[in-house]
């Protein structure tokens, strides 16, 4: 196996990075720097990889059973679908590596404690650092990524439906062709972000600066913003189908169904005929609103302020009005 090890090191030294699906069981490559190497799907069972620097590499789908990974640097490594069963991982650095539920770890190993982030639907990734990772096509629907660092991250074609991305840093991220429908993007940072053909239908864009993004081919129908949202020069957000929410705004017959608008201030707004079906308006300020003929079926109005609101003809029978102020 020493010959194979020498061949890999020599090829890497000459600039080769793609070694995916190579058959290298029991290979010995200790103490080398192999950052950014692609070992996707490789057979590395029983390999001796102690003290190797694999930072920012791709080990997705790799067989690392019984491998010696003592003191190995696996920082920001992609371990999705990898098998580390019975591997020796003492003092290995897993900080900001990513895994999924197909990844197998050694018995008694605690991935979250080691700094590994699980990526997948409904994942909890609050304030995590996923910068520069390749997450193209990943399904992160309904995940909590509030405050996450996603600088220079590849999210091409990613599925982020209903994801919580409040205050996330998406600077220079690739969100081309991604699905961000119903995503909460309040105060997220978008400087240099690629949103070409991104689906932002019904996304929440409160307090977002989009002035340096290209939205010409993005889909924004039914998205909501507020007066602090900034748009690219000459971009007609109203023509794109975006609604501006806030006090005294006119939203006649707008479709705001199934949105999460907890605590929003819509006092004095014209909401005649607005569709709030299934919308979460927990604690919302609707004082003095014109809600004639509005549909509030299944809406959550817990603790909402409806004092002096005109509800003539409104559908409100199935709304949750617990603790709401009606008079």
């Amino acid at each position: 196996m020493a010959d194979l090890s020498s061949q890999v090191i020599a090829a890497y030294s000459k600039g080769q990075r793609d070694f995916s699906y190579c058959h290298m069981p029991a290979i010995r490559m200790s103490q080398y720097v192999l950052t950014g190497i692609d070992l996707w799907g490789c057979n590395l069972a029983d390999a001796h990889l102690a003290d190797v620097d694999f930072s920012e590499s791709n080990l997705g789908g790799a067989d690392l059973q019984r491998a010696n990974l003592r003191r190995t640097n696996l920082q920001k490594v992609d371990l999705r679908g990898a098998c580390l069963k019975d591997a020796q991982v003492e003092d290995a650095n897993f900080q900001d590596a990513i895994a999924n539920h197909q990844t197998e770890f050694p018995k008694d190993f605690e991935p979250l404690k080691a700094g590994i982030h699980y990526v997948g639907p409904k994942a909890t990734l609050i304030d995590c650092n996923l910068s520069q990772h390749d997450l193209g096509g990943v399904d992160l629907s309904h995940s909590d990524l509030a405050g996450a660092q996603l600088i220079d991250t590849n999210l091409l074609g990613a599925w982020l439906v209903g994801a919580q991305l409040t205050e996330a840093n998406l600077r220079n991220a690739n969100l081309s062709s991604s699905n961000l429908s119903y995503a909460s993007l309040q105060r997220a940072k978008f400087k240099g972000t690629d949103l070409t053909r991104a689906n932002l239908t019904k996304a929440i864009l409160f307090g977002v600066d989009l002035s340096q993004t290209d939205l010409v081919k993005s889909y924004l129908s039914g998205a909501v913003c507020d007066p602090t949202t900034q748009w690219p020069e000459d971009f007609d957000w109203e023509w794109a189908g975006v609604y501006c929410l806030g006090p005294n705004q006119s939203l006649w017959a707008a479709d705001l169904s199934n949105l999460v608008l907890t605590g929003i201030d819509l006092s004095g707004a014209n909401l005649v005929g607005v569709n709030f079906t299934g919308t979460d308006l927990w604690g919302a300020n609707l004082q003095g609103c014109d809600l004639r003929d509005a549909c509030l079926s299944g809406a959550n109005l817990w603790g909402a302020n409806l004092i002096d609101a005109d509800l003539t003809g409104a559908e409100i029978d199935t709304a949750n009005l617990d603790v709401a102020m009606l008079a």
Side-chain angles (χ1 to χ4, degrees):
M1 299 306 296
D3 290 339
L4 178 57
S5 174
S6 299
Q7 291 172 19
V8 172
I9 299 304
Y12 182 90
S13 299
K14 292 178 180 178
Q16 182 178 335
R17 294 296 180 267
D18 187 357
F19 296 86
S20 53
Y21 296 105
C22 287
H23 189 67
M24 300 184 285
I27 194 169
R28 302 182 68 85
M29 291 194 297
S30 295
Q31 299 182 335
Y32 286 104
V33 176
L34 298 171
T35 58
I37 194 170
D38 186 354
L39 295 167
W40 175 270
C42 286
N43 182 351
L44 292 162
D46 301 297
H48 197 283
L49 304 168
D51 298 292
V52 174
D53 186 353
F54 279 127
S55 56
E56 300 185 21
S57 294
N58 185 0
L59 289 164
D63 184 356
L64 289 156
Q65 294 184 79
R66 301 174 301 280
N68 183 349
L69 297 168
R70 290 191 177 101
R71 300 173 303 280
T72 301
N73 186 1
L74 295 161
Q75 188 172 18
K76 287 196 172 186
V77 166
D78 189 342
L79 293 168
R80 287 177 290 173
C83 179
L84 286 79
K85 188 176 179 180
D86 298 323
Q88 302 165 51
V89 296
E90 293 81 3
D91 297 318
N93 180 6
F94 286 96
Q95 189 63 44
D96 294 327
I98 59 173
N100 59 15
H101 290 294
Q102 285 72 52
T103 307
E104 295 184 66
F105 289 105
K107 185 179 179 181
D108 300 324
F109 179 74
E110 300 180 64
L112 297 181
K113 190 174 181 179
I116 296 171
H117 307 301
Y118 274 99
V119 295
K122 299 182 179 179
T124 300
L125 296 161
I126 301 169
D127 294 327
C128 71
N129 186 357
L130 294 173
S131 295
Q132 300 180 325
H133 272 294
D134 185 354
L135 299 175
V138 71
D139 184 356
L140 285 166
S141 54
H142 303 288
S143 292
D144 193 342
L145 289 146
Q149 295 296 311
L150 294 158
I151 301 168
D152 296 311
T153 300
N154 178 28
L155 289 158
L156 172 69
W159 197 261
L160 291 155
V161 176
Q164 173 61 258
L165 286 153
T166 297
E167 298 184 347
N169 191 341
L170 291 153
R171 180 163 53 87
N172 296 326
N174 181 6
L175 284 161
S176 179
S177 300
S178 62
N179 191 339
L180 288 154
S181 57
Y182 291 95
S184 179
L185 295 158
Q186 299 180 64
R187 299 180 301 282
K189 298 175 180 65
F190 280 98
K191 185 176 180 180
T193 307
D194 186 354
L195 288 166
T196 309
R197 294 181 297 279
N199 182 359
L200 290 157
T201 303
K202 292 210 167 188
I204 298 174
L205 301 168
F206 300 153
V208 174
D209 184 356
L210 294 164
S211 60
Q212 297 184 50
T213 59
D214 183 356
L215 297 171
V216 174
K217 295 181 180 180
S218 300
Y219 307 97
L220 287 147
S221 179
V224 293
C225 69
D226 66 11
T228 67
T229 305
Q230 298 180 54
W231 300 95
E233 188 176 355
D234 300 325
F235 181 76
D236 191 338
W237 55 268
E238 290 182 289
W239 183 87
V242 179
Y243 301 114
C244 185
L245 307 190
N248 304 311
Q249 294 289 328
S250 181
L251 295 158
W252 183 83
D255 181 8
L256 302 178
S257 58
N258 299 308
L259 292 176
V260 178
L261 300 174
T262 56
I264 193 166
D265 185 1
L266 292 171
S267 55
N270 174 8
L271 303 174
V272 175
V274 169
N275 183 6
F276 282 117
T277 302
T279 300
D280 189 352
L281 291 160
W282 184 95
N285 184 3
L286 300 168
Q287 184 172 3
C289 286
D290 189 344
L291 283 157
R292 287 175 296 164
D293 300 318
C295 182
L296 291 151
S297 297
N300 180 17
L301 289 159
W302 192 98
N305 182 356
L306 288 158
I307 294 172
D308 296 328
D310 188 346
L311 293 162
T312 304
E315 297 179 39
I316 201 168
D317 291 345
T318 59
N320 177 11
L321 292 166
D322 290 349
V323 203
M325 293 173 278
L326 296 166

